[in-house]
Amino acid sequence: MSCRCGSSALSRRIRPEIFALFEGTELVSFAGKQWAPGRVGRDSGYQYKLQNADLGLILLIKNYNVKAESPGPHLKIEVSPHLIEQHSPKQLQQILDELAGQLLTALEISQCAVHLAVDFQGWTPPADLVPRMRCKSRNVREFDGIGSIIFDEMAATYSRGQSFLFGSAAALQCAIYNKTKQAKAVDKLDYWENRWRDGDNPFEDETGNYDPKLDVYRVEFRFHHSVVEQFAQGSHSSSGEILNSCNYAELATHLQGLFEYGLDTFKLLHRVAYTDPLWTILRSETRFLAPVDRFVYRRYYKTARGFSGKNIELMLGNAITLFARNRMDFPSCWAALKSLPVFHLVEEYYREKGRSQTWLKKHLAKKLDERYVRYGMAA
């Protein structure tokens, strides 16, 4: 088992002296440690990074979309599994808070994102894994080659059926992949082999059961910080106590509950109505820290009840106009709308007005036809 976490912070202002660390490419000293400075691609959302792989930390600094002197999410700290293992949640949180305090003039923790993974041998992905996976992901894309795996698709297959991905990077993802090949690709096989020798393969009864001749596979659930915040607001104990966590130290005892939620959200079936034995073993044998008993894990969603719906109607009207300009047929338009992460709000809004999805589909098809008839190619 392994856990990787990230923590975001809201700052009033980045300390001005921090930017001097990125004037060159040589190692720099910060917070009593040596760091490799550098710039980050725009896709990360940040401009700079300080990295210490030996320590197991990456500091992503200065949000691309917010000025340095303005309040904003200017810091994200990524923590590796080996640093998490070396410290208690409370000790680790103290390390993160101290680093943030030396980077920012003031800080407010926004939430923690976590990756929960289990490694094992004695199992390989079946050829029909994708159709046997029950989840909300709609798209399936296939890629060859493994290299450095970056999961950002709705559902994907990597390296000729050895790696699979379900879900969105901005929500909850399930990844199933050949960890041996991935560790070789990023030159970390030695580290992971030491971990596996010290670990316990749930498919074997005896201890010390790592076999270097067999590939290790991993099942990993990746929780975006926005999803964790939904759990923090929507989960509660049997006595009514709300989870209400905002950092890793407060979330740590709930990792087991999140992992089991992942198993329920992405369910691998053996056949119709029967769960695959792999999922059964993962549920019975996997333990993250000391779990909290009698806790109900639910995600809190903002609903359409609390606003007029004007934004929804404007969004749909503008979307229909853009679809018409591109001469799209209605099935393609409907598929595009359903792929939106906010489509559940659209459905709920019309449901509150007594309209079914069938009505909405016919209504939008009629609007698309009207665009073509009234405005033609100028729609």
Side-chain angles (χ1 to χ4, degrees):
M1 296 178 297
S2 71
C3 176
R4 181 186 299 272
C5 73
S7 180
S8 298
L10 175 70
S11 73
R12 296 190 184 280
R13 188 167 63 90
I14 301 173
R15 296 185 184 276
E17 63 269 22
I18 296 300
F19 294 103
L21 299 175
F22 306 101
E23 293 177 353
T25 58
E26 297 181 355
L27 296 181
V28 297
S29 179
F30 171 72
K33 303 290 183 181
Q34 293 290 101
W35 302 83
R39 286 186 171 268
V40 193
R42 195 178 187 89
D43 290 344
S44 70
Y46 295 84
Q47 288 185 253
Y48 306 100
K49 71 174 180 178
L50 292 175
Q51 180 172 358
N52 186 321
D54 185 52
L55 185 60
L57 285 171
I58 299 178
L59 313 181
L60 299 174
I61 303 166
K62 172 57 181 70
N63 190 284
Y64 254 112
N65 302 312
V66 183
K67 293 181 179 180
E69 62 272 14
S70 301
H74 284 307
L75 174 63
K76 179 180 179 181
I77 304 177
E78 296 186 351
V79 186
S80 70
H82 73 266
L83 183 62
I84 294 174
E85 290 180 344
Q86 293 168 2
H87 300 84
S88 69
K90 185 176 180 180
Q91 291 171 335
L92 179 58
Q93 191 62 54
Q94 184 176 355
I95 292 173
L96 302 183
D97 291 346
E98 289 176 353
L99 287 170
Q102 295 191 52
L103 281 164
L104 310 172
T105 57
L107 77 100
E108 175 186 334
I109 299 174
S110 61
Q111 194 43 270
C112 174
V114 292
H115 297 177
L116 304 174
V118 181
D119 298 340
F120 45 83
Q121 292 180 312
W123 179 91
T124 55
D128 58 346
L129 186 145
V130 171
R132 281 168 49 187
M133 180 66 77
R134 291 296 177 263
C135 60
K136 294 182 179 179
S137 298
R138 300 180 181 89
N139 301 324
V140 178
R141 298 179 63 186
E142 183 171 348
F143 299 85
D144 289 333
I146 191 164
S148 177
I149 297 179
I150 300 175
F151 295 112
D152 60 359
E153 304 293 340
M154 286 296 292
T157 304
Y158 295 83
S159 192
R160 298 174 178 85
Q162 296 182 85
S163 302
F164 304 83
L165 173 74
F166 306 88
S168 168
L172 171 59
Q173 287 185 317
C174 172
I176 303 174
Y177 59 100
N178 187 319
K179 183 60 182 178
T180 299
K181 291 186 179 295
Q182 191 269 343
K184 286 181 180 178
V186 297
D187 197 25
K188 291 188 177 180
L189 182 60
D190 291 338
Y191 166 76
W192 284 109
E193 283 194 322
N194 287 329
R195 285 283 314 282
W196 295 330
R197 290 189 182 96
D198 294 336
D200 179 31
N201 181 9
F203 283 85
E204 299 290 345
D205 294 330
E206 69 275 6
T207 59
N209 44 39
Y210 170 66
D211 185 349
K213 296 187 293 295
L214 296 178
D215 284 350
V216 172
Y217 275 85
R218 166 173 288 189
V219 169
E220 180 174 343
F221 296 113
R222 300 182 171 198
F223 293 81
H224 190 264
H225 69 85
S226 63
V227 175
V228 176
E229 179 60 26
Q230 290 176 333
F231 279 110
Q233 297 182 39
S235 303
H236 60 85
S237 67
S238 56
S239 61
E241 176 190 358
I242 302 298
L243 195 159
N244 198 28
S245 71
C246 66
N247 61 32
Y248 175 70
E250 296 172 345
L251 184 69
T253 55
H254 298 281
L255 297 180
Q256 181 67 29
L258 295 185
F259 183 79
E260 292 176 2
Y261 180 92
L263 291 173
D264 291 334
T265 303
F266 300 92
K267 183 172 290 186
L268 184 62
L269 300 182
H270 179 64
R271 60 178 185 271
V272 177
Y274 288 91
T275 303
D276 191 271
L278 171 64
W279 248 233
T280 303
I281 291 175
L282 292 179
R283 181 178 291 276
S284 63
E285 299 293 332
T286 305
R287 291 294 177 269
F288 289 89
L289 298 177
V292 177
D293 293 330
R294 296 181 297 279
F295 221 91
V296 180
Y297 293 94
R298 290 176 179 165
R299 295 166 65 177
Y300 168 79
Y301 295 94
K302 290 186 177 180
T303 68
R305 187 189 300 273
F307 64 98
S308 66
K310 181 180 179 180
N311 290 334
I312 286 179
E313 293 175 353
L314 287 173
M315 184 269 292
L316 291 177
N318 290 332
I320 291 297
T321 298
L322 291 173
F323 294 153
R325 280 183 176 275
N326 285 275
R327 307 301 298 175
M328 293 172 62
D329 59 17
F330 182 72
S332 300
C333 300
W334 181 248
L337 289 172
K338 288 188 69 176
S339 69
L340 294 173
V342 295
F343 188 73
H344 67 280
L345 287 177
V346 176
E347 291 181 302
E348 185 176 345
Y349 169 68
Y350 283 101
R351 193 181 306 121
E352 291 289 334
K353 296 169 70 70
R355 307 294 190 179
S356 67
Q357 187 184 95
T358 301
W359 178 91
L360 176 61
K361 193 172 182 179
K362 291 180 179 178
H363 173 70
L364 295 177
K366 180 181 176 181
K367 290 296 183 183
L368 184 66
D369 288 340
E370 287 181 358
R371 292 290 197 281
Y372 286 137
V373 173
R374 291 181 182 275
Y375 305 108
M377 294 296 291

